[in-house]
Amino acid sequence: MTSFNWQKQSEIQWDERASDWSERSVHMWNRGSRKNIIPFIEKYVERGESILDVGCGDGYGTYRLLQSGYKVTGVDLSNEMIARAQKRLHRESSVSLIQGNVLQLPFENNYFRGIMAINVLEWIEVPAKALGELRRILHREGLLFVGILGPTAGPRANSYKRLYGEEVICNTMMPWEFQQLASEYGFQYVDGFGVYKRGIAEEDAAQLPLELKQALSFMWIFMLRKMK
């Protein structure tokens, strides 16, 4: 019986999903669930600083960071995603795109002033290990921006078959679970915001405690500071 290789299966499945993902990415970053992420980063990270886009996919989020004036590196496990990102950004000589594993990133300690990882850690077999690697390469005064699917997110269904004992490559966690994990790995929660489905007014959610805001969210965006 062949053992399940999470990393290899993840690479295969994201290669297969690359076309569908690419069709939706522009809308997600410009008008959809990710539209407020880059403006949020701009509030806290000075233009010209180095930012790593982990799980860069087809490179549109990377492109948006570049347009905002950052020095950007994109990394993704999927060769097909990186190929699409290279095609999108082939005229941008200042961008570096790397096919690689978030558990073993080819960067020096304390290298990046900012790291963006949107819906990445849910796809890692042991998210804690990936978080430790991100901490290693984040500058002592850097900021980590992480997007974690909330309870109302449809993509959480990718992990459903684990209830039948089937092997899946999606390791969903609740936002409050990630927040605890981050604190245990030496990160301080500084700020964040929720992305909500229609039917939930942001002004109404704003009056709720953090845990209830996260409980209603489609996705929660964390801004974390590396503690010394």
Side-chain angles (χ1 to χ4, degrees):
M1 182 177 179
T2 304
S3 60
F4 182 77
N5 186 322
W6 180 297
Q7 180 179 329
K8 186 60 179 177
Q9 286 300 315
S10 183
E11 184 177 350
I12 290 171
Q13 290 190 38
W14 280 110
D15 280 347
E16 293 173 347
R17 298 178 186 189
S19 177
D20 177 64
W21 179 265
S22 190
E23 289 178 359
R24 297 181 289 116
S25 64
V26 173
H27 172 78
M28 281 192 295
W29 284 105
N30 287 347
R31 297 178 295 281
S33 61
R34 301 186 177 194
K35 66 181 180 181
N36 293 321
I37 295 175
I38 304 299
F40 183 62
I41 292 174
E42 290 174 340
K43 289 166 53 179
Y44 293 100
V45 181
E46 291 186 10
R47 294 169 189 263
E49 295 287 8
S50 59
I51 292 186
L52 175 66
D53 182 7
V54 180
C56 66
D58 70 340
Y60 192 73
T62 312
Y63 168 75
R64 289 287 310 275
L65 287 170
L66 181 68
Q67 292 298 104
S68 293
Y70 297 111
K71 301 173 185 175
V72 192
T73 300
V75 61
D76 201 281
L77 182 64
S78 164
N79 274 309
E80 181 62 28
M81 287 290 198
I82 288 295
R84 289 174 179 270
Q86 290 172 335
K87 183 177 180 180
R88 181 186 297 281
L89 296 164
H90 71 280
R91 295 181 180 176
E92 309 293 346
S93 59
S94 61
V95 176
S96 177
L97 296 167
I98 301 169
Q99 190 275 331
N101 183 354
V102 68
L103 297 174
Q104 294 178 305
L105 294 168
F107 307 110
E108 298 177 359
N109 295 350
N110 307 304
Y111 188 80
F112 291 99
R113 286 284 182 160
I115 297 176
M116 182 175 76
I118 308 302
N119 300 143
V120 172
L121 297 179
E122 294 101 328
W123 299 93
I124 306 299
E125 186 173 11
V126 183
K129 291 183 179 180
L131 188 59
E133 180 69 347
L134 295 181
R135 189 182 195 282
R136 179 186 69 79
I137 65 173
L138 182 65
H139 192 275
R140 294 180 183 88
E141 298 177 358
L143 294 170
L144 172 62
F145 299 86
V146 177
I148 296 293
L149 293 173
T152 68
R156 295 180 68 89
N158 285 290
S159 67
Y160 175 74
K161 290 185 178 180
R162 76 191 190 285
L163 301 180
Y164 285 93
E166 295 185 28
E167 300 282 8
V168 295
I169 61 165
C170 188
N171 198 351
T172 53
M173 67 190 95
M174 292 299 181
W176 48 88
E177 290 178 315
F178 171 73
Q179 190 161 330
Q180 179 177 335
L181 181 66
S183 68
E184 293 171 358
Y185 267 75
F187 286 99
Q188 177 185 10
Y189 179 79
V190 181
D191 199 0
F193 68 92
V195 178
Y196 301 101
K197 288 185 174 182
R198 292 179 182 176
I200 299 176
E202 291 189 24
E203 56 270 25
D204 293 337
Q207 310 304 315
L208 299 172
L210 178 61
E211 294 82 357
L212 291 181
K213 292 178 186 178
Q214 292 177 343
L216 293 172
S217 69
F218 171 88
M219 177 170 58
W220 194 266
I221 307 300
F222 293 82
M223 186 179 75
L224 305 169
R225 187 180 304 280
K226 182 176 177 178
M227 298 174 66
K228 298 178 181 179

